[in-house]
Amino acid sequence: MTDLTALSYTSEHEWIALDGDIATVGITDFAAEKLGDVVFVDLPSADAAVASGDVCGEIESTKSVGELYAPLDGTVVEVNDAVVDDPSLVNADPFGDGWLVKIRIDGGLPDGLLDRAAYEELTA
């Protein structure tokens, strides 16, 4: 089980786990629940440059289509092909096997990220 208090969160319902200069990014359990059953995931390709706040992918569910926003500036170094092949992983394990991309960050983490308590307050 992932330590949810060790993650950073965005107001767009993404989580970030930082390991050196590599940030693993996924959507939160709250977002996965609101989306419903995820049926399609479109992610940026490896080596793609991403900019904080820009749309970099799409998550489609039986209820709606949601945009995936880059939570930071950097370069995609890995895409979770397992999620592309089996989008239900986003619902089944959003903080584990359902991660989406790994990004080598340019600079540090952006301002305005939330800790777990602040994120829970945002979604209450």
Side-chain angles (χ1 to χ4, degrees), residues 15 26-29 32-33 35-41 43 59-60 79-100:
W15 58 264
I27 66 167
T28 65
D29 51 349
E33 182 180 321
L35 277 170
D37 294 334
V38 175
V39 295
F40 177 76
V41 177
L43 299 173
I59 300 174
E60 186 176 325
V79 173
N80 188 351
D81 290 326
V83 163
V84 174
D85 294 340
D86 181 7
S88 70
L89 288 172
V90 172
N91 297 107
D93 193 10
F95 295 107
D97 291 337
W99 64 273
L100 301 174

Side-chain angles (χ1 to χ4, degrees), residues 83-123:
V83 163
V84 174
D85 294 340
D86 181 7
S88 70
L89 288 172
V90 172
N91 297 107
D93 193 10
F95 295 107
D97 291 337
W99 64 273
L100 301 174
V101 294
K102 293 188 180 188
I103 300 170
R104 182 177 315 280
I105 61 172
D106 292 339
L109 290 176
D111 293 335
L113 293 177
L114 308 170
D115 62 15
R116 185 65 185 177
Y119 182 73
E120 287 176 341
E121 186 174 310
L122 173 75
T123 59

Side-chain angles (χ1 to χ4, degrees), residues 2-4 6-10 13-28 43 50 56 68-81 83 93-105 109-110 113:
T2 302
D3 178 5
L4 303 183
L7 304 174
S8 297
Y9 299 86
T10 71
H13 308 291
E14 294 154 343
W15 58 264
I16 301 167
L18 192 60
D19 183 11
D21 65 347
I22 303 295
T24 302
V25 177
I27 66 167
T28 65
L43 299 173
V50 295
C56 66
L68 176 65
Y69 294 91
L72 41 83
D73 296 333
T75 303
V76 176
V77 295
E78 188 177 347
V79 173
N80 188 351
D81 290 326
V83 163
D93 193 10
F95 295 107
D97 291 337
W99 64 273
L100 301 174
V101 294
K102 293 188 180 188
I103 300 170
R104 182 177 315 280
I105 61 172
L109 290 176
L113 293 177

